[in-house]
Amino acid sequence: MTNICYYPRRAVRDAALSPSARRFLLALCTRYDPQDAFTISLPDIKQQTPISPVTFRLANAALLDADYLILASHMDCKYPCYRFQQEQTLELNRNVCIRLLASGLPNAATAVFLYLYDCQGAGQPELSIAEISKHSGVSRSNLCIMLKDLSEVGLLQIERRQDSSGQHFSNRYSIPGTAAAN
């Protein structure tokens, strides 16, 4: 398995996809190759990230409904067999994703991280709180907490910026350990 995991780019900004479904999808993307069929079991996923049986079922159903996962087969195995929908992906450092999943941060932090990672790759490191909130699906008040939490666990660097008169304007965000951050 390579050090890259592939996350569906459209899932980053899919407002219909809950933060828990995004986190579940990230767990799947770090665990399985995008070209292979795989089975999903709660015990396997729980090794990577805490998830309740209810969240597991809801997130799995949401990913199937939104065509991020395709049912490949249900025969000859204890669990259904799936494939990822082939589409444009975001290339993520697998170790960074595993750290995020193991960090214990809320699902909303995953949604914020993925949005910022996508923006950084697109050359947009300077974003307003309102813009991040709108596209990540996280409220502004929770967003400030998520940004602080991501920074505290070393998954995000925040550069607070001011103009020459001392007025604050958009922060610059970077994900340590990525080419765009260096």
Side-chain angles (χ1 to χ4, degrees), residues 161-169:
R161 301 180 324 133
Q162 297 177 342
D163 64 17
S164 59
S165 67
Q167 291 283 49
H168 177 80
F169 58 98

Side-chain angles (χ1 to χ4, degrees), residues 78-103:
K78 182 177 178 181
Y79 301 103
C81 218
Y82 298 94
R83 285 191 166 291
F84 290 112
Q85 179 69 267
Q86 298 301 304
E87 58 186 87
Q88 185 180 17
T89 58
L90 191 60
E91 292 186 7
L92 301 157
N93 179 301
R94 187 177 308 280
N95 294 329
V96 170
C97 295
I98 290 169
R99 278 185 51 216
L100 174 62
L101 292 168
S103 70

